[in-house]
Amino acid sequence: MFKGLAIWLATVLGLASFGWTGEKDGRLDIYWVDVEGGAATLIVTPAGESVLIDAGNPGYRDPNRIVQVATKEAGLRRIDHLITTHYHRDHFGGAATLATLIPIGTVHDNGVFDGMPDDPGKSYWEFAAQARRVIHAGDKLSLRQRVESPPVSIHCLGTRKQFIKASPDTANCEACAAHRPKDRDGSDNANSVVTLLEFGPFRFYDGGDLTWNQEFRLVCPKNVVGRVDVYQVTHHGLDSSNNPVLLNALQPQVAIMNNGKTKGCMPGVFANLKATSSIQAIYQLHRNERPDGQMNNVDFPFIANRSKEVSGNHIHLSVAADGKSYTVSIPAHDQSRTYQTVDK
């Protein structure tokens, strides 16, 4: 009897510890799940609350990978918030299946709006979630705070081609004069939800698939984003996004690309990233082997999945409890590097 009770107690305590790793160590964690050219970025706050930005492709592969990282790596039992940046299948497609595998709290998306070019369909609108809300430029997620930690926030800077207004004391962006407009993008990419994560001095930018001309509007004439530490390479590294005006306005230190084996990593994007003087390191989820021969890759230590035959490895970023430094690692290869948060 006592042996059984001891085993039960150890199991319960183990699960409790497993479920609150973020709250236990005071760190903030970000995981880039390999959804092979889609998007799934999982954030775990110091209070143990979770925010998933996009849910990958339809089917079970991507939801299973998200659940694997969420439960085994991050110690979660639910996704508290799901942000769908826009209605393309590689961003929303896994949500309905994901909801059958792990509970989902509040879904934040663009809802139904005038002129929407894509409809995600019945399975997306009706999957099980605790609540749904339409997100607007200027909204902030209501997140639990850990008393001992710096404040953490996720701020919507723009969506549906509407962006937050600059404060009167915001200076004009010096990079704007270099802008060269591209043809209008009429797809739903231009409606992407843009988010800024802040944890003390640490700042992370995720623009979904926001397109070139909209990126210009976000920071010009005034840069409403400010400088960031980490930049999620927009649109998987496609050159209809990643305007150098945006890169020079944000001045990121680290760029992380959620590309696929043959998707993303366009030559122009690599050139723009490498020409951004603030960037110290670029990470890729996959070594890219484009069929057109335009292969652009960083060195192996910065790639999570290094061959066509390998998939499923994720990238992990962990911010120190004071927000003053962060470590980017590829657990599958025991690779890690620590960076200091930059002065803003």
Side-chain angles (χ1 to χ4, degrees):
M1 176 180 176
F2 291 108
K3 181 179 179 181
L5 180 61
I7 294 173
W8 174 83
L9 182 59
T11 302
V12 170
L13 290 174
L15 286 172
S17 175
F18 185 69
W20 296 98
T21 52
E23 187 173 21
K24 182 179 179 181
D25 61 19
R27 302 178 72 91
L28 180 140
D29 294 288
I30 307 174
Y31 302 85
W32 286 267
V33 182
D34 177 25
V35 292
E36 304 201 27
T41 305
L42 177 64
I43 299 162
V44 184
T45 74
E49 196 166 7
S50 57
V51 181
L52 177 65
I53 304 178
D54 291 325
N57 293 280
Y60 276 91
R61 183 198 68 193
D62 293 354
N64 280 336
R65 289 180 180 176
I66 293 168
V67 170
Q68 177 74 14
V69 172
T71 59
K72 303 301 183 185
E73 301 291 332
L76 300 173
R77 299 192 188 102
R78 58 177 268 140
I79 302 297
D80 294 298
H81 301 271
L82 169 63
I83 299 174
T84 300
T85 60
H86 62 293
Y87 302 135
H88 282 171
R89 289 164 62 86
D90 55 337
H91 291 254
F92 80 82
T97 300
L98 181 66
T100 69
L101 303 175
I102 190 169
I104 294 178
T106 302
V107 178
H108 310 261
D109 60 28
N110 280 327
V112 177
F113 59 97
D114 291 341
M116 61 186 286
D118 298 291
D119 186 332
K122 181 178 180 180
S123 64
Y124 175 81
W125 297 122
E126 296 184 359
F127 72 77
Q130 185 176 347
R132 292 175 182 265
R133 63 182 295 271
V134 176
I135 195 167
H136 302 281
D139 287 353
K140 286 188 176 183
L141 267 62
S142 178
L143 299 175
R144 297 192 302 270
Q145 301 295 321
R146 184 175 184 267
V147 175
E148 302 88 346
S149 298
V152 59
S153 68
I154 294 181
H155 188 188
C156 175
L157 303 182
T159 189
R160 301 185 298 282
K161 304 176 191 174
Q162 300 296 316
F163 303 108
I164 63 170
K165 304 298 182 184
S167 62
D169 59 345
T170 302
N172 285 341
C173 177
E174 296 179 359
C176 295
H179 175 61
R180 299 294 179 267
K182 290 193 173 185
D183 291 342
R184 174 182 174 273
D185 186 345
S187 78
D188 204 40
N189 292 323
N191 295 307
S192 288
V193 176
V194 179
T195 52
L196 178 69
L197 164 67
E198 296 181 272
F199 175 54
F202 174 82
R203 306 177 92 231
F204 163 62
Y205 171 91
D206 183 340
D209 283 359
L210 192 70
T211 44
W212 185 278
N213 295 338
Q214 300 303 321
E215 290 175 324
F216 170 76
R217 292 184 58 230
L218 179 64
V219 296
C220 292
K222 295 180 180 293
N223 177 6
V224 299
V225 185
R227 189 171 186 183
V228 304
D229 296 282
V230 179
Y231 172 77
Q232 180 168 303
V233 178
T234 306
H235 208 172
H236 323 288
L238 295 175
D239 58 9
S240 54
S241 304
N242 301 289
N243 191 325
V245 170
L246 176 75
L247 291 169
N248 286 314
L250 270 55
Q251 300 179 63
Q253 187 178 36
V254 170
I256 298 181
M257 188 183 302
N258 54 359
N259 64 305
K261 298 173 185 177
T262 58
K263 182 178 179 180
C265 293
M266 294 294 287
V269 174
F270 257 79
N272 291 338
L273 290 170
K274 290 180 178 178
T276 305
S277 60
S278 61
I279 293 180
Q280 296 183 16
I282 304 168
Y283 291 81
Q284 295 172 215
L285 272 173
H286 276 272
R287 175 175 169 79
N288 191 262
E289 300 185 27
R290 298 177 61 86
D292 58 11
Q294 298 186 71
M295 292 182 286
N296 297 272
N297 293 290
V298 294
D299 294 336
F300 265 23
F302 300 91
I303 301 176
N305 299 281
R306 299 174 178 175
S307 71
K308 285 184 177 180
E309 293 72 30
V310 176
S311 295
N313 296 333
H314 65 277
I315 296 173
H316 178 208
L317 184 151
S318 187
V319 187
D322 59 5
K324 295 181 179 180
S325 66
Y326 56 98
T327 299
V328 183
S329 62
I330 301 176
H333 306 305
D334 197 26
Q335 296 278 355
S336 67
R337 179 174 294 189
T338 298
Y339 304 87
Q340 301 302 308
T341 303
V342 298
D343 293 331
K344 308 297 190 299

